[in-house]
Amino acid sequence: MAILGAIEAGGTKFVCGTGDEQGNVHDRISFPTTTPQETMEQVIKYFSDKKVEALGVGSFGPIDPIVGSDTYGYITSTPKPHWAQYNLIGKLKEHFDVPTTFDTDVNGAALGEYTWGAAQGLDSCLYITVGTGVGAGAVVGGRLLHGLSHPEMGHILVRRHQDDHFAGFCPYHGDCLEGLAAGPAIHQRWNKAGAELGPDHPAWEMEAHYLAQALMSYVLILSPQKIVMGGGVMKQSQLFPLIRTKLQQQLNGYVQHRSLLGDIQEYIVPPALGDNAGLSGALALANLALK
Ligand code: ADP
Ligand code: ZN
């Protein structure tokens, strides 16, 4: 069995690991994301004796995942200091002569859940993370969704909740989905981190109001066979039933499929790969590189 190398390149921390084609993670290491020089030095050191046959990178973005593009392999317009226009894949290629796949962290996670997790056996799924930001990736017809670049499903517009007076914190759009529903929005709106708000706090009904609208758009546009919801905010497990109910109310029976009518507990689910969703996603990208 091949040894695969996985890199979950996050804005806060990098997780590197090795694993195999069946999705087993054999080894992992994590370190804080500082400058590209420092961080990539640790990545290269870690893999130097691992003899990996392919590398998969699931990265924070925006990135350029389009093979053949001039800036393929770059982290592009990120506001994160030092990382804008950084050629991450180029750096890896200087040290490792193996096939690589580069994609967003959420596209990786979607592929991981599709290959080994909650969406096994289907041909489409959507993975959404609600954390420091909101992002989503999708597998459609067995392939990761790309176009001009990668989707940016976290920045769609949503209708405001009638009791919400928070302006939204997205530097580009103010009150887009991410601006209203990511972890920092919850923190700023209620002056308390989400983790410290009780399960019955009104924050969660408001949060579900926004996330259900987003899911409605994703259902209507992509028609995914399964939606996997991860990220720090989704640790609030009471959100799942709230979101399911609101999604069904909003769809109002329009999409006539048994996955969406009746009990949708199996349609909107937490990651089957749990806290490994990110690294397993990168492993799935490495697995793709091998093919
Ligand atoms: P990142 O998005 O940086 O990869 P996470 O997915 O852990 O990391 O998201 C971090 C965000 O999630 C923070 O804004 C934090 O406040 C929020 N968060 C983390 N844990 C919880 C929790 N148990 N309940 C609510 N919010 C949480
Ligand atoms: Zn935005």
Side-chain angles (χ1 to χ4, degrees), residues 55-70:
L55 279 167
V57 185
S59 177
F60 70 98
I63 65 168
D64 185 348
I66 307 297
V67 176
S69 154
D70 289 346

Side-chain angles (χ1 to χ4, degrees), residues 91-165:
K91 187 75 196 169
L92 283 178
K93 289 278 185 191
E94 284 173 17
H95 296 266
F96 307 103
D97 183 23
V98 296
T100 54
T101 303
F102 185 51
D103 217 317
T104 57
D105 44 6
V106 279
N107 256 353
L111 188 67
E113 291 290 334
Y114 165 83
T115 314
W116 302 305
Q120 265 182 86
L122 305 177
D123 23 75
S124 64
C125 73
L126 182 127
Y127 183 96
I128 172 172
T129 182
V130 189
T132 306
V134 178
V139 173
V140 178
R143 294 172 59 116
L144 283 168
L145 185 63
H146 294 122
L148 297 170
S149 178
H150 53 81
E152 283 286 5
M153 294 188 249
H155 293 265
I156 62 170
L157 301 179
V158 287
R159 285 187 193 152
R160 273 184 169 272
H161 189 283
Q162 57 183 11
D163 300 331
D164 191 7
H165 303 292

Side-chain angles (χ1 to χ4, degrees), residues 155 170 173 176:
H155 293 265
C170 176
H173 319 112
C176 66

